[in-house]
Amino acid sequence: MKKIMVMICTVFLLLANSAIPADNTVYVTKKDYPMALTKEDLDIFHQSILNDDAAVFLKLRQEGKAWMSRAGVQVYIIETEESGKVKIKSQNSTQEIWTLQEALEKK
């Protein structure tokens, strides 16, 4: 009985981690748009770009909290905000990140 419960829990966890959003629309990232682990870091990182604040820009990049996008990464949109920010998940990863809507185009 214990083995069956462990197997059921394992299958459930695998399915939960690999679940694709209901939308299923695949987007592709464009090059050199801000991306960050949290919405707050995205705000700070984006403002550092707009205000030409190299110190904040470099600090967030060095800490691994924010970076500039690479072109051609296939992603799904998890969450959209009215402000134009979107939470995305790569097809090959379970990590969710924040970026700007204009950083994406439909595949």
Side-chain angles (χ1 to χ4, degrees):
M1 182 69 170
K2 209 177 210 184
K3 287 183 181 181
I4 293 173
M5 289 303 291
V6 170
M7 288 179 63
I8 290 172
C9 289
T10 304
V11 169
F12 175 73
L13 289 173
L14 289 173
L15 290 175
N17 281 338
S18 64
I20 296 175
D23 182 1
N24 288 343
T25 303
V26 178
Y27 292 85
V28 179
T29 57
K30 298 177 188 175
K31 186 176 180 182
D32 292 332
Y33 283 85
M35 295 188 155
L37 295 176
T38 67
K39 187 172 27 170
E40 294 77 18
D41 286 338
L42 178 63
D43 288 337
I44 295 167
F45 192 61
H46 190 225
Q47 285 302 313
S48 75
I49 294 168
L50 296 175
N51 297 330
D52 199 24
D53 188 346
V56 172
F57 179 86
L58 291 173
K59 181 177 186 259
L60 286 169
R61 287 190 59 164
Q62 289 172 346
E63 292 175 349
K65 293 182 178 181
W67 57 93
M68 300 303 286
S69 64
R70 293 178 309 172
V73 178
Q74 295 183 2
V75 298
Y76 296 103
I77 294 178
I78 305 297
E79 183 179 332
T80 304
E81 294 204 346
E82 291 181 23
S83 62
K85 296 179 194 100
V86 291
K87 186 191 287 189
I88 59 174
K89 179 179 120 11
S90 169
Q91 286 185 320
N92 302 326
S93 174
T94 58
Q95 183 178 28
E96 297 175 352
I97 58 175
W98 286 89
T99 191
L100 305 174
Q101 179 70 43
E102 59 260 20
L104 308 175
E105 61 186 8
K106 283 188 180 179
K107 182 174 177 187

XYZ file of all heavy atoms in Angstrom:
853
model
N 0.820 -1.199 0.000
C 0.000 0.000 0.000
C 0.866 1.266 0.000
O 0.553 2.227 -0.662
C -0.930 -0.044 1.225
C -1.862 1.114 1.313
S -3.062 0.985 -0.030
C -4.179 2.225 0.429
N 1.940 1.210 0.792
C 2.826 2.360 0.890
C 3.489 2.659 -0.461
O 3.613 3.815 -0.852
C 3.890 2.070 1.949
C 4.421 3.268 2.650
C 5.405 2.836 3.721
C 5.393 3.809 4.854
N 6.386 3.481 5.865
N 3.885 1.610 -1.188
C 4.531 1.788 -2.485
C 3.571 2.419 -3.491
O 3.959 3.263 -4.290
C 5.038 0.457 -3.022
C 6.258 -0.062 -2.319
C 6.732 -1.342 -2.947
C 7.942 -1.873 -2.220
N 8.432 -3.117 -2.832
N 2.331 2.010 -3.434
C 1.331 2.567 -4.352
C 1.134 4.052 -4.088
O 1.076 4.859 -5.028
C 0.002 1.790 -4.239
C 0.185 0.362 -4.752
C -1.097 2.504 -5.017
C -1.006 -0.521 -4.530
N 1.050 4.429 -2.831
C 0.876 5.846 -2.487
C 2.083 6.670 -2.930
O 1.939 7.779 -3.432
C 0.637 6.015 -0.982
C -0.714 5.513 -0.523
S -2.087 6.308 -1.377
C -1.964 7.943 -0.710
N 3.276 6.129 -2.755
C 4.492 6.828 -3.185
C 4.485 7.003 -4.696
O 4.819 8.069 -5.212
C 5.753 6.070 -2.706
C 7.012 6.640 -3.343
C 5.860 6.115 -1.198
N 4.091 5.973 -5.412
C 4.036 6.061 -6.870
C 2.999 7.071 -7.325
O 3.242 7.852 -8.241
C 3.744 4.682 -7.475
C 4.933 3.738 -7.373
S 4.585 2.112 -8.042
C 4.284 2.479 -9.752
N 1.852 7.090 -6.696
C 0.803 8.049 -7.051
C 1.277 9.471 -6.792
O 1.095 10.356 -7.625
C -0.503 7.738 -6.292
C -1.115 6.434 -6.821
C -1.496 8.890 -6.417
C -2.289 5.930 -6.026
N 1.910 9.690 -5.652
C 2.429 11.023 -5.332
C 3.505 11.448 -6.314
O 3.554 12.601 -6.746
C 2.979 11.053 -3.902
S 1.688 10.972 -2.658
N 4.372 10.536 -6.691
C 5.436 10.837 -7.643
C 4.856 11.229 -8.997
O 5.277 12.216 -9.606
C 6.381 9.630 -7.797
O 6.892 9.276 -6.516
C 7.522 9.940 -8.739
N 3.906 10.461 -9.478
C 3.267 10.774 -10.761
C 2.572 12.127 -10.692
O 2.688 12.945 -11.616
C 2.267 9.662 -11.157
C 1.415 10.093 -12.338
C 3.011 8.375 -11.456
N 1.877 12.384 -9.604
C 1.192 13.671 -9.442
C 2.181 14.827 -9.478
O 1.952 15.831 -10.146
C 0.398 13.685 -8.136
C -0.239 15.006 -7.850
C -1.342 15.433 -8.572
C 0.273 15.845 -6.875
C -1.936 16.654 -8.318
C -0.297 17.071 -6.614
C -1.401 17.477 -7.338
N 3.298 14.700 -8.780
C 4.306 15.762 -8.760
C 4.925 15.977 -10.135
O 5.158 17.109 -10.543
C 5.390 15.460 -7.725
C 4.963 15.591 -6.272
C 6.072 15.110 -5.349
C 4.591 17.022 -5.946
N 5.183 14.913 -10.854
C 5.736 15.039 -12.201
C 4.756 15.744 -13.130
O 5.143 16.596 -13.929
C 6.104 13.672 -12.758
C 7.323 13.004 -12.129
C 7.471 11.585 -12.656
C 8.577 13.809 -12.396
N 3.495 15.386 -13.027
C 2.484 16.035 -13.865
C 2.301 17.503 -13.497
O 2.134 18.353 -14.361
C 1.148 15.296 -13.761
C 1.102 13.920 -14.411
C -0.235 13.251 -14.113
C 1.335 14.028 -15.895
N 2.338 17.813 -12.228
C 2.168 19.199 -11.780
C 3.320 20.071 -12.252
O 3.122 21.217 -12.641
C 2.048 19.252 -10.257
N 4.540 19.554 -12.233
C 5.698 20.326 -12.659
C 5.775 20.505 -14.162
O 6.324 21.486 -14.645
C 6.994 19.679 -12.164
C 7.260 19.988 -10.725
O 6.746 20.957 -10.195
N 8.065 19.160 -10.098
N 5.249 19.584 -14.905
C 5.345 19.684 -16.351
C 4.059 20.189 -16.997
O 3.936 20.180 -18.212
C 5.708 18.323 -16.945
O 4.670 17.411 -16.699
N 3.132 20.630 -16.202
C 1.854 21.095 -16.743
C 2.052 22.321 -17.623
O 2.791 23.228 -17.290
C 0.895 21.421 -15.610
N 1.384 22.322 -18.740
C 1.434 23.447 -19.668
C 0.207 24.304 -19.411
O -0.879 23.786 -19.179
C 1.454 22.928 -21.120
C 2.731 22.128 -21.352
C 1.342 24.068 -22.111
C 2.800 21.464 -22.694
N 0.353 25.623 -19.443
C -0.796 26.485 -19.219
C -1.943 26.161 -20.171
O -1.718 25.640 -21.259
C -0.249 27.888 -19.483
C 1.228 27.761 -19.375
C 1.568 26.350 -19.719
N -3.134 26.509 -19.771
C -4.323 26.190 -20.549
C -4.302 26.832 -21.932
O -4.867 26.301 -22.869
C -5.564 26.629 -19.789
N -3.643 27.974 -22.082
C -3.609 28.693 -23.345
C -2.900 27.880 -24.432
O -3.345 27.840 -25.572
C -2.911 30.041 -23.138
C -2.875 30.889 -24.388
O -3.413 30.456 -25.426
O -2.310 31.986 -24.335
N -1.796 27.240 -24.120
C -1.006 26.422 -25.043
C -0.421 27.186 -26.216
O 0.141 26.573 -27.107
C -1.813 25.243 -25.578
C -2.045 24.183 -24.543
O -1.375 24.143 -23.525
N -3.002 23.323 -24.793
N -0.549 28.504 -26.274
C 0.051 29.292 -27.336
C 1.542 29.402 -27.077
O 1.970 29.782 -26.003
C -0.565 30.703 -27.406
O -1.973 30.578 -27.584
C 0.016 31.510 -28.544
N 2.316 29.053 -28.069
C 3.765 29.119 -27.942
C 4.234 30.483 -28.442
O 3.836 30.943 -29.508
C 4.453 27.997 -28.749
C 5.962 28.111 -28.654
C 3.983 26.642 -28.275
N 5.074 31.122 -27.630
C 5.680 32.396 -27.995
C 7.180 32.204 -28.109
O 7.733 31.242 -27.568
C 5.385 33.457 -26.931
C 3.927 33.853 -26.874
C 3.016 33.115 -26.131
C 3.460 34.960 -27.575
C 1.683 33.467 -26.086
C 2.126 35.321 -27.535
C 1.244 34.570 -26.784
O -0.084 34.926 -26.748
N 7.823 33.122 -28.804
C 9.268 33.105 -28.960
C 9.802 34.429 -28.438
O 9.238 35.493 -28.721
C 9.657 32.905 -30.436
C 11.166 32.912 -30.609
C 9.075 31.618 -30.978
N 10.896 34.361 -27.670
C 11.477 35.588 -27.126
C 12.256 36.344 -28.194
O 12.843 35.748 -29.101
C 12.416 35.286 -25.944
O 13.442 34.388 -26.379
C 11.659 34.665 -24.785
N 12.263 37.653 -28.048
C 13.088 38.522 -28.881
C 14.377 38.815 -28.116
O 14.453 38.604 -26.909
C 12.350 39.831 -29.164
C 11.058 39.651 -29.933
C 10.387 40.993 -30.097
C 9.009 40.878 -30.690
N 8.323 42.187 -30.738
N 15.362 39.334 -28.804
C 16.667 39.578 -28.202
C 16.710 40.916 -27.470
O 16.118 41.905 -27.912
C 17.745 39.560 -29.287
C 19.147 39.668 -28.747
C 20.176 39.563 -29.827
C 21.537 39.686 -29.180
N 22.592 39.646 -30.149
N 17.424 40.922 -26.332
C 17.768 42.132 -25.571
C 16.577 42.860 -24.940
O 16.483 44.090 -24.998
C 18.593 43.098 -26.419
C 19.975 42.551 -26.723
O 20.485 41.750 -25.907
O 20.547 42.914 -27.764
N 15.701 42.099 -24.325
C 14.624 42.666 -23.512
C 14.862 42.257 -22.062
O 15.393 41.174 -21.803
C 13.259 42.163 -23.982
C 12.769 42.852 -25.233
C 13.155 42.408 -26.486
C 11.930 43.964 -25.147
C 12.712 43.051 -27.637
C 11.482 44.608 -26.291
C 11.880 44.140 -27.538
O 11.449 44.789 -28.658
N 14.456 43.091 -21.108
C 14.711 42.752 -19.699
C 13.879 41.557 -19.241
O 12.710 41.426 -19.599
C 14.316 44.021 -18.955
C 13.397 44.745 -19.859
C 13.795 44.391 -21.245
N 14.526 40.709 -18.421
C 13.870 39.561 -17.806
C 14.368 39.460 -16.374
O 15.505 39.837 -16.088
C 14.198 38.272 -18.550
C 13.671 38.232 -19.945
S 13.895 36.592 -20.652
C 12.600 36.613 -21.863
N 13.509 38.967 -15.483
C 13.905 38.871 -14.073
C 13.135 37.756 -13.383
O 12.099 37.302 -13.861
C 13.649 40.202 -13.370
N 13.650 37.362 -12.217
C 13.025 36.290 -11.449
C 11.722 36.731 -10.792
O 10.808 35.929 -10.628
C 13.993 35.772 -10.382
C 15.244 35.084 -10.909
C 16.171 34.712 -9.756
C 14.875 33.855 -11.723
N 11.637 38.006 -10.395
C 10.425 38.517 -9.755
C 9.941 39.759 -10.489
O 10.704 40.421 -11.202
C 10.665 38.876 -8.279
O 11.555 39.995 -8.220
C 11.230 37.703 -7.495
N 8.689 40.069 -10.264
C 8.105 41.265 -10.872
C 8.810 42.518 -10.354
O 9.055 43.462 -11.116
C 6.607 41.294 -10.555
C 5.853 42.379 -11.246
C 4.341 42.293 -11.077
C 3.873 41.611 -9.837
N 2.440 41.747 -9.602
N 9.146 42.531 -9.078
C 9.815 43.691 -8.481
C 11.206 43.883 -9.079
O 11.610 45.004 -9.391
C 9.907 43.533 -6.962
C 8.573 43.557 -6.251
C 7.766 42.254 -6.368
O 8.342 41.183 -6.716
O 6.545 42.300 -6.134
N 11.944 42.790 -9.249
C 13.263 42.886 -9.873
C 13.155 43.352 -11.321
O 14.001 44.101 -11.799
C 13.999 41.540 -9.811
C 14.513 41.212 -8.419
O 14.679 42.151 -7.607
O 14.753 40.025 -8.144
N 12.110 42.916 -12.018
C 11.905 43.377 -13.392
C 11.684 44.881 -13.418
O 12.260 45.584 -14.256
C 10.717 42.655 -14.046
C 10.400 43.101 -15.475
C 11.557 42.797 -16.414
C 9.121 42.435 -15.964
N 10.867 45.397 -12.497
C 10.638 46.846 -12.419
C 11.944 47.598 -12.210
O 12.233 48.575 -12.907
C 9.677 47.189 -11.275
C 8.243 46.788 -11.568
O 7.887 46.658 -12.760
O 7.480 46.601 -10.608
N 12.738 47.149 -11.247
C 14.001 47.819 -10.924
C 14.964 47.730 -12.103
O 15.602 48.719 -12.483
C 14.626 47.205 -9.652
C 13.727 47.476 -8.439
C 16.026 47.756 -9.412
C 14.094 46.657 -7.213
N 15.067 46.542 -12.694
C 15.981 46.320 -13.817
C 15.576 47.181 -15.019
O 16.423 47.825 -15.645
C 15.985 44.841 -14.179
C 17.072 44.425 -15.126
C 18.400 44.577 -14.785
C 16.774 43.839 -16.343
C 19.414 44.171 -15.643
C 17.767 43.434 -17.210
C 19.098 43.588 -16.864
N 14.298 47.201 -15.328
C 13.801 47.993 -16.457
C 14.043 49.486 -16.223
O 14.465 50.201 -17.133
C 12.320 47.701 -16.690
C 11.789 48.273 -17.948
N 10.596 48.938 -18.002
C 12.288 48.300 -19.214
C 10.376 49.348 -19.238
N 11.395 48.971 -19.985
N 13.803 49.941 -15.006
C 14.062 51.348 -14.679
C 15.548 51.676 -14.793
O 15.911 52.768 -15.228
C 13.547 51.692 -13.281
C 12.048 51.842 -13.200
C 11.526 52.922 -14.151
O 12.056 54.019 -14.227
N 10.494 52.572 -14.895
N 16.418 50.734 -14.409
C 17.860 50.990 -14.524
C 18.264 51.155 -15.986
O 19.153 51.943 -16.299
C 18.667 49.868 -13.868
O 18.688 48.703 -14.665
N 17.588 50.451 -16.882
C 17.863 50.588 -18.317
C 17.363 51.941 -18.808
O 18.081 52.677 -19.495
C 17.209 49.446 -19.109
C 17.857 48.111 -18.736
C 17.307 49.689 -20.610
C 17.113 46.893 -19.228
N 16.130 52.284 -18.431
C 15.550 53.555 -18.881
C 16.312 54.761 -18.336
O 16.449 55.772 -19.029
C 14.080 53.636 -18.458
C 13.141 52.601 -19.093
C 11.743 52.725 -18.499
C 13.103 52.755 -20.605
N 16.816 54.642 -17.094
C 17.523 55.758 -16.454
C 19.033 55.691 -16.650
O 19.770 56.501 -16.082
C 17.214 55.781 -14.951
C 15.751 56.031 -14.684
O 15.068 56.689 -15.455
N 15.255 55.485 -13.590
N 19.499 54.730 -17.430
C 20.931 54.553 -17.691
C 21.717 54.433 -16.386
O 22.769 55.048 -16.222
C 21.460 55.691 -18.570
C 22.764 55.330 -19.246
O 23.034 54.130 -19.426
O 23.533 56.251 -19.585
N 21.204 53.624 -15.462
C 21.823 53.418 -14.154
C 22.625 52.108 -14.202
O 22.131 51.035 -13.873
C 20.751 53.359 -13.075
C 21.315 53.342 -11.672
O 22.525 53.107 -11.511
O 20.538 53.564 -10.729
N 23.879 52.220 -14.609
C 24.729 51.046 -14.803
C 24.964 50.273 -13.513
O 25.064 49.043 -13.536
C 26.053 51.461 -15.422
N 25.058 50.965 -12.381
C 25.345 50.292 -11.105
C 24.229 49.305 -10.747
O 24.499 48.149 -10.396
C 25.528 51.313 -9.992
N 22.985 49.735 -10.839
C 21.847 48.862 -10.515
C 21.736 47.748 -11.552
O 21.522 46.579 -11.212
C 20.537 49.683 -10.432
C 19.331 48.767 -10.283
C 20.613 50.679 -9.296
N 21.907 48.102 -12.808
C 21.854 47.134 -13.908
C 22.861 46.008 -13.670
O 22.510 44.828 -13.708
C 22.148 47.857 -15.224
C 22.155 46.969 -16.438
C 20.981 46.683 -17.113
C 23.339 46.434 -16.915
C 20.981 45.869 -18.240
C 23.363 45.613 -18.043
C 22.181 45.339 -18.701
N 24.108 46.359 -13.403
C 25.159 45.363 -13.196
C 24.948 44.553 -11.917
O 25.195 43.349 -11.891
C 26.531 46.037 -13.176
C 26.985 46.595 -14.528
C 28.265 47.384 -14.378
C 27.147 45.476 -15.548
N 24.468 45.210 -10.859
C 24.242 44.514 -9.591
C 23.210 43.397 -9.757
O 23.423 42.266 -9.311
C 23.780 45.504 -8.525
C 23.533 44.866 -7.165
C 23.158 45.907 -6.132
C 23.060 45.302 -4.764
N 21.726 45.028 -4.334
N 22.085 43.703 -10.403
C 21.044 42.695 -10.606
C 21.531 41.562 -11.504
O 21.211 40.391 -11.273
C 19.784 43.336 -11.184
C 18.969 44.166 -10.195
C 17.903 44.959 -10.920
C 18.344 43.283 -9.131
N 22.314 41.889 -12.509
C 22.853 40.856 -13.398
C 23.844 39.964 -12.663
O 23.814 38.752 -12.796
C 23.514 41.490 -14.620
C 22.477 42.045 -15.588
C 23.081 42.445 -16.856
N 23.743 41.287 -17.468
C 24.107 41.234 -18.734
N 23.876 42.259 -19.514
N 24.701 40.181 -19.213
N 24.725 40.566 -11.870
C 25.723 39.794 -11.137
C 25.077 38.884 -10.093
O 25.566 37.791 -9.830
C 26.740 40.723 -10.476
C 27.666 41.383 -11.473
C 28.537 42.448 -10.853
O 28.297 42.900 -9.737
N 29.538 42.890 -11.605
N 23.982 39.335 -9.503
C 23.274 38.525 -8.511
C 22.412 37.441 -9.162
O 21.829 36.613 -8.479
C 22.406 39.424 -7.626
C 23.211 40.340 -6.724
C 22.349 41.314 -5.943
O 21.124 41.437 -6.238
O 22.900 41.972 -5.047
N 22.305 37.477 -10.476
C 21.506 36.489 -11.188
C 20.013 36.718 -11.076
O 19.215 35.833 -11.364
N 19.622 37.928 -10.670
C 18.201 38.243 -10.504
C 17.567 38.766 -11.784
O 16.345 38.723 -11.931
C 18.025 39.285 -9.402
C 18.386 38.785 -8.027
C 18.147 39.859 -7.007
C 18.444 39.389 -5.604
N 18.194 40.445 -4.613
N 18.379 39.291 -12.712
C 17.848 39.865 -13.944
C 18.880 39.723 -15.056
O 20.079 39.615 -14.788
C 17.492 41.330 -13.721
N 18.409 39.731 -16.286
C 19.274 39.570 -17.443
C 18.536 40.063 -18.679
O 17.349 40.359 -18.640
C 19.684 38.105 -17.602
C 18.511 37.189 -17.729
C 17.919 36.759 -18.870
C 17.750 36.615 -16.654
N 16.844 35.962 -18.583
C 16.722 35.853 -17.229
C 17.846 36.670 -15.261
C 15.785 35.156 -16.460
C 16.923 35.974 -14.506
C 15.911 35.213 -15.101
N 19.261 40.105 -19.793
C 18.658 40.474 -21.066
C 18.308 39.182 -21.814
O 19.035 38.194 -21.754
C 19.624 41.329 -21.890
C 20.013 42.635 -21.184
S 18.606 43.684 -20.740
C 18.138 44.332 -22.323
N 17.200 39.220 -22.521
C 16.692 38.016 -23.186
C 17.551 37.600 -24.375
O 18.213 38.426 -25.002
C 15.252 38.245 -23.640
O 15.214 39.272 -24.615
N 17.489 36.301 -24.652
C 18.069 35.745 -25.875
C 16.934 35.563 -26.875
O 15.789 35.347 -26.497
C 18.688 34.382 -25.608
C 19.891 34.404 -24.712
C 20.398 33.015 -24.485
N 19.264 32.175 -24.067
C 19.302 30.867 -23.925
N 20.393 30.213 -24.171
N 18.243 30.189 -23.539
N 17.258 35.594 -28.130
C 16.250 35.420 -29.177
C 15.951 33.942 -29.390
O 16.836 33.093 -29.268
C 16.729 36.045 -30.473
N 14.695 33.643 -29.668
C 14.311 32.316 -30.110
C 13.968 31.292 -29.059
O 13.775 30.127 -29.389
N 13.863 31.682 -27.798
C 13.494 30.726 -26.752
C 11.973 30.558 -26.767
O 11.228 31.540 -26.706
C 13.972 31.205 -25.358
C 13.536 30.220 -24.281
C 15.476 31.401 -25.338
N 11.501 29.334 -26.850
C 10.063 29.075 -26.892
C 9.514 29.051 -25.474
O 10.038 28.344 -24.614
C 9.778 27.762 -27.601
C 10.163 27.807 -29.059
C 9.820 26.533 -29.796
O 9.246 25.602 -29.243
N 10.156 26.495 -31.071
N 8.441 29.829 -25.253
C 7.864 29.978 -23.910
C 6.340 29.964 -23.971
O 5.742 30.136 -25.025
C 8.335 31.300 -23.240
C 9.830 31.320 -23.047
C 7.880 32.517 -24.026
N 5.750 29.765 -22.797
C 4.310 29.901 -22.603
C 4.080 31.050 -21.634
O 4.844 31.244 -20.691
C 3.708 28.626 -21.991
C 3.827 27.425 -22.867
C 4.790 26.462 -22.612
C 2.975 27.241 -23.946
C 4.909 25.342 -23.418
C 3.081 26.126 -24.758
C 4.053 25.181 -24.490
O 4.155 24.082 -25.290
N 2.991 31.791 -21.834
C 2.624 32.846 -20.894
C 1.818 32.218 -19.768
O 0.819 31.539 -20.004
C 1.824 33.967 -21.575
C 2.717 34.684 -22.592
C 1.272 34.945 -20.542
C 2.023 35.795 -23.366
N 2.261 32.467 -18.531
C 1.598 31.940 -17.345
C 0.629 32.963 -16.778
O -0.463 32.635 -16.345
C 2.637 31.588 -16.248
C 3.702 30.629 -16.779
C 1.969 31.047 -15.004
C 3.183 29.295 -17.195
N 1.057 34.224 -16.775
C 0.258 35.299 -16.173
C 0.520 36.591 -16.938
O 1.634 36.858 -17.348
C 0.676 35.457 -14.712
C -0.096 36.468 -13.917
C 0.384 36.526 -12.468
O 0.882 35.522 -11.931
O 0.240 37.612 -11.883
N -0.529 37.385 -17.115
C -0.419 38.669 -17.799
C -0.970 39.759 -16.898
O -1.987 39.561 -16.247
C -1.229 38.656 -19.112
O -0.773 37.563 -19.913
C -1.068 39.938 -19.880
N -0.291 40.901 -16.891
C -0.756 42.045 -16.107
C -1.080 43.204 -17.040
O -0.525 43.303 -18.136
C 0.320 42.465 -15.103
C 0.555 41.421 -14.051
C 1.136 42.018 -12.795
O 1.589 43.165 -12.810
O 1.117 41.303 -11.780
N -1.965 44.079 -16.590
C -2.347 45.244 -17.382
C -1.167 46.154 -17.674
O -1.161 46.872 -18.664
C -3.448 46.030 -16.670
C -4.769 45.318 -16.629
C -5.841 46.131 -15.926
O -5.724 47.350 -15.849
O -6.799 45.502 -15.450
N -0.158 46.119 -16.817
C 1.016 46.985 -16.975
C 1.911 46.556 -18.136
O 2.877 47.237 -18.445
C 1.831 46.985 -15.682
O 2.299 45.671 -15.416
N 1.603 45.426 -18.771
C 2.416 44.946 -19.882
C 3.471 43.940 -19.465
O 4.262 43.488 -20.288
N 3.471 43.574 -18.199
C 4.409 42.563 -17.711
C 3.750 41.189 -17.829
O 2.548 41.053 -17.639
C 4.778 42.832 -16.255
C 5.512 44.114 -16.047
C 5.812 44.309 -14.567
C 6.238 45.721 -14.325
N 5.192 46.556 -13.797
N 4.577 40.191 -18.151
C 4.073 38.830 -18.265
C 5.013 37.873 -17.543
O 6.219 38.072 -17.523
C 3.910 38.383 -19.738
C 2.798 39.132 -20.422
C 5.203 38.522 -20.508
N 4.404 36.853 -16.954
C 5.181 35.768 -16.355
C 5.196 34.649 -17.380
O 4.142 34.271 -17.907
C 4.550 35.278 -15.055
C 5.409 34.238 -14.333
C 4.681 33.563 -13.203
C 4.498 34.446 -12.010
N 3.962 33.697 -10.843
N 6.388 34.137 -17.674
C 6.527 33.110 -18.701
C 7.252 31.895 -18.140
O 7.902 31.960 -17.105
C 7.277 33.651 -19.939
C 8.675 34.143 -19.540
C 6.472 34.727 -20.636
C 9.539 34.550 -20.723
N 7.126 30.791 -18.883
C 7.821 29.557 -18.553
C 8.321 28.967 -19.854
O 7.579 28.834 -20.818
C 6.880 28.590 -17.858
C 7.500 27.255 -17.483
C 6.489 26.395 -16.789
C 6.144 25.106 -17.408
N 6.853 24.528 -18.465
N 9.595 28.625 -19.879
C 10.190 27.995 -21.048
C 9.655 26.583 -21.212
O 9.293 25.934 -20.234
C 11.714 27.973 -20.884
O 12.303 27.157 -21.866
N 9.631 26.099 -22.432
C 9.185 24.730 -22.678
C 10.108 23.718 -22.004
O 9.683 22.639 -21.650
C 9.156 24.442 -24.174
C 8.014 25.083 -24.898
C 7.972 24.673 -26.351
O 9.000 24.564 -27.004
N 6.779 24.460 -26.867
N 11.359 24.075 -21.829
C 12.348 23.131 -21.304
C 12.656 23.342 -19.828
O 13.634 22.815 -19.327
C 13.646 23.243 -22.103
C 13.425 22.994 -23.568
O 12.591 22.198 -23.948
N 14.158 23.692 -24.403
N 11.863 24.128 -19.122
C 12.179 24.458 -17.734
C 10.900 24.589 -16.922
O 9.827 24.838 -17.461
C 12.952 25.777 -17.699
O 13.153 26.205 -16.383
N 11.036 24.457 -15.615
C 9.903 24.687 -14.730
C 9.983 26.062 -14.088
O 9.053 26.480 -13.418
C 9.852 23.622 -13.617
O 11.077 23.662 -12.889
C 9.639 22.233 -14.202
N 11.106 26.765 -14.301
C 11.288 28.089 -13.703
C 10.414 29.120 -14.420
O 10.371 29.177 -15.644
C 12.745 28.520 -13.781
C 12.994 29.843 -13.105
C 14.461 30.222 -13.151
O 15.181 29.840 -14.051
N 14.882 30.978 -12.168
N 9.726 29.927 -13.630
C 8.892 30.997 -14.168
C 9.630 32.312 -13.994
O 10.221 32.565 -12.947
C 7.553 31.025 -13.450
C 6.759 29.752 -13.668
C 5.469 29.697 -12.869
O 5.238 30.573 -12.018
O 4.699 28.756 -13.085
N 9.610 33.143 -15.036
C 10.291 34.433 -14.998
C 9.368 35.529 -15.517
O 8.364 35.253 -16.165
C 11.605 34.405 -15.802
C 11.338 34.012 -17.257
C 12.618 33.477 -15.189
C 12.550 34.065 -18.141
N 9.730 36.771 -15.225
C 8.957 37.929 -15.646
C 9.680 38.677 -16.759
O 10.901 38.785 -16.762
C 8.739 38.880 -14.472
C 7.738 38.376 -13.501
C 7.971 37.587 -12.418
C 6.330 38.600 -13.538
N 6.785 37.303 -11.775
C 5.765 37.918 -12.440
C 5.493 39.308 -14.381
C 4.406 37.931 -12.178
C 4.135 39.326 -14.121
C 3.601 38.645 -13.023
N 8.911 39.192 -17.700
C 9.441 40.029 -18.768
C 8.343 40.957 -19.260
O 7.241 40.994 -18.687
C 10.012 39.179 -19.920
O 10.737 40.038 -20.812
C 8.932 38.433 -20.677
N 8.628 41.694 -20.310
C 7.649 42.610 -20.890
C 6.942 41.932 -22.057
O 7.538 41.111 -22.765
C 8.345 43.881 -21.380
C 9.178 44.618 -20.331
C 9.920 45.778 -20.979
C 8.304 45.104 -19.195
N 5.686 42.265 -22.266
C 4.895 41.661 -23.343
C 5.572 41.843 -24.699
O 5.575 40.942 -25.525
C 3.486 42.277 -23.364
C 2.589 41.741 -24.466
C 2.165 40.296 -24.260
O 1.819 39.920 -23.155
N 2.216 39.506 -25.297
N 6.190 43.004 -24.926
C 6.808 43.256 -26.226
C 8.064 42.416 -26.466
O 8.598 42.397 -27.570
C 7.104 44.749 -26.421
C 8.014 45.340 -25.389
C 7.277 46.103 -24.301
O 6.076 45.890 -24.093
O 7.933 46.926 -23.652
N 8.519 41.687 -25.449
C 9.684 40.814 -25.602
C 9.305 39.493 -26.268
O 10.169 38.675 -26.568
C 10.316 40.540 -24.250
N 8.009 39.291 -26.523
C 7.516 38.022 -27.060
C 6.790 38.225 -28.371
O 6.171 39.264 -28.594
C 6.557 37.367 -26.067
C 7.043 37.190 -24.637
C 5.916 36.654 -23.785
C 8.253 36.295 -24.587
N 6.859 37.210 -29.215
C 6.045 37.188 -30.426
C 5.512 35.778 -30.611
O 6.148 34.808 -30.196
C 6.845 37.648 -31.641
C 8.052 36.800 -31.973
C 8.896 37.381 -33.091
O 8.626 38.515 -33.516
O 9.817 36.691 -33.541
N 4.329 35.666 -31.196
C 3.753 34.339 -31.427
C 4.606 33.572 -32.400
O 5.131 34.133 -33.350
C 2.327 34.452 -31.951
C 1.316 34.775 -30.905
C -0.073 34.675 -31.438
C -1.067 35.021 -30.335
N -2.437 34.962 -30.825
N 4.697 32.296 -32.137
C 5.487 31.427 -33.022
C 4.750 31.168 -34.305
O 3.583 31.065 -34.384
C 5.806 30.123 -32.304
C 6.661 29.208 -33.144
C 7.068 28.003 -32.369
C 7.867 27.114 -33.308
N 8.189 25.855 -32.755
